[in-house]
């Protein structure tokens, strides 16, 4: 359980982030939703409060240092502590061969997917160190472990996030701060359904055939649900996972096993 904890979840307005916010609230945490979309944050705020927990929605651009700093200051003014940080905010980046990717596309992917977690950790770690406690969960991807065609910026950030996780865990373990990464596989939801629709149109196949092809990459022949990832995140933040740190845990229905 994470009762009486204050959790900050970036990209908490929808999808995996929303599921994590809701699950942490179910387990007794008050939740700060840090996102760019005000409307989506309000829905997550409603879900957290429906679980009987306090919720704070703060417009945050994780790629901008001052925005992150302002968010952390506001959280401390409101709650006085931060126990949990989930770095979930991320973007897909371009889908193109490496030589066709613009520098602006590369930089934008790096800024959100890698610089964002760095900025968040840099601002929050002093708070956790002072308290002598903290739990950090970084949302990477199975693409942090295996290639994904025409997605070099995304793959580089997700692989980099695993290295960041392991090294940071080594740095802060003495303060009872654990740092772990979750590597989701293909997650069911509007985003991947849109991808399937685009692939079906581009290849002249049916939506069901395209989806089945992706599902077949898993020994379970299914996609991951966002609640699966939320459950693992909640566990890593709980006392039951007190001696788990520096790990990158697959939630992929077996799509990746290393």
């Amino acid at each position: 359980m994470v009762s009486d904890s204050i959790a900050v979840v970036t990209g908490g307005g929808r999808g995996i982030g929303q599921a994590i916010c809701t699950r942490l609230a179910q387990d007794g945490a008050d939740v700060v939703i840090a996102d760019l979309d005000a409307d989506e944050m309000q829905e997550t705020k409603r879900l957290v409060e429906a679980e009987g927990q306090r919720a704070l929605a703060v417009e945050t651009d994780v790629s901008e240092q001052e925005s992150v700093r302002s968010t952390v200051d506001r959280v401390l003014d409101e709650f006085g502590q931060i126990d949990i940080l989930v770095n979930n905010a991320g973007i897909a980046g371009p889908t193109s061969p490496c030589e066709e990717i613009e520098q602006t596309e590369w930089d934008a992917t790096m800024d959100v997917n890698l610089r964002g977690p760095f900025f968040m950790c840099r601002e929050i770690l002093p708070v956790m160190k002072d308290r002598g406690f903290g739990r950090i969960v970084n949302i990477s991807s199975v693409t942090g472990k295996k290639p994904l065609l025409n997605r070099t910026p995304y793959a580089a950030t997700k692989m980099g996030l695993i290295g960041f996780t392991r090294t940071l865990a080594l740095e802060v373990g003495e303060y009872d701060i654990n740092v772990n990464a979750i590597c989701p596989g293909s997650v069911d939801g509007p985003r991947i359904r849109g991808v399937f629709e685009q692939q079906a149109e581009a290849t002249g196949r049916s939506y069901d055939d395209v989806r089945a092809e992706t599902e077949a990459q898993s020994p379970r022949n299914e996609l991951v649900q966002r609640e699966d990832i939320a459950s693992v995140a909640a566990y890593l933040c709980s006392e039951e996972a007190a001696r788990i740190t520096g790990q990158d845990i697959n939630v992929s229905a077996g799509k990746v096993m290393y």
Side-chain angles (χ1 to χ4, degrees):
M1 299 293 286
V2 294
S3 298
D4 303 319
S5 296
I6 306 300
V8 177
V9 181
T10 68
R14 62 177 175 171
I16 294 171
Q18 185 177 83
I20 291 172
C21 289
T22 305
R23 177 55 190 269
L24 290 174
Q26 290 170 349
D27 286 359
D30 295 328
V31 180
V32 178
I33 307 117
D35 203 306
L36 280 173
D37 192 307
D39 292 337
E40 290 179 341
M41 282 195 292
Q42 289 306 310
E43 173 59 15
T44 304
K45 184 175 185 291
R46 184 191 67 79
L47 292 171
V48 169
E49 291 174 340
E51 300 295 338
Q53 298 302 127
R54 294 181 293 171
L56 176 66
V58 186
E59 187 173 329
T60 309
D61 183 348
V62 298
S63 70
E64 294 294 335
Q65 176 178 281
E66 289 308 314
S67 179
V68 170
R69 188 166 292 160
S70 175
T71 293
V72 172
D73 288 344
R74 185 171 174 192
V75 175
L76 294 176
D77 287 343
E78 184 81 16
F79 296 110
Q81 68 187 69
I82 298 173
D83 306 289
I84 294 167
L85 167 63
V86 181
N87 285 308
N88 169 72
I91 62 173
T95 300
S96 302
C98 182
E99 69 273 17
E100 296 178 11
I101 293 171
E102 299 292 336
Q103 180 180 336
T104 53
E105 296 175 309
W106 177 275
D107 290 346
T109 312
M110 296 293 156
D111 287 351
V112 176
N113 293 3
L114 268 182
R115 192 161 73 167
F118 163 65
F119 281 157
M120 293 299 300
C121 289
R122 189 176 66 174
E123 294 302 318
I124 289 176
L125 276 171
V127 181
M128 291 181 170
K129 284 184 175 182
D130 285 346
R131 286 177 55 78
F133 178 85
R135 297 291 180 261
I136 298 173
V137 178
N138 298 318
I139 305 301
S140 180
S141 168
V142 293
T143 304
K145 300 184 175 186
K146 63 185 290 293
L148 184 58
L149 186 66
N150 293 333
R151 297 290 297 281
T152 50
Y154 181 78
T157 61
K158 294 305 183 179
M159 289 181 180
L161 197 54
I162 290 174
F164 178 76
T165 296
R166 293 174 179 174
T167 304
L168 189 59
L170 183 62
E171 288 184 11
V172 301
E174 65 181 290
Y175 299 96
D176 194 15
I177 300 172
N178 290 354
V179 188
N180 291 288
I182 298 174
C183 298
S186 300
V187 180
D188 199 4
R191 179 174 166 184
I192 198 165
R193 291 170 199 157
V195 171
F196 292 157
E197 289 170 358
Q198 292 172 2
Q199 290 176 338
E201 183 177 353
T203 60
R205 294 184 294 164
S206 71
Y207 171 92
D208 289 341
D209 284 346
V210 172
R211 180 181 178 115
E213 182 179 70
T214 298
E215 291 175 339
Q217 296 171 3
S218 154
R220 293 181 57 89
N221 290 303
E222 60 183 344
L223 302 179
V224 175
Q225 301 300 311
R226 63 182 194 164
E227 290 78 12
D228 300 333
I229 299 153
S231 295
V232 175
Y235 171 72
L236 290 173
C237 295
S238 72
E239 185 58 33
E240 285 84 352
R243 277 157 289 284
I244 298 176
T245 193
Q247 304 304 303
D248 40 278
I249 299 172
N250 300 325
V251 184
S252 69
K255 183 175 181 179
V256 171
M257 299 184 180
Y258 54 88

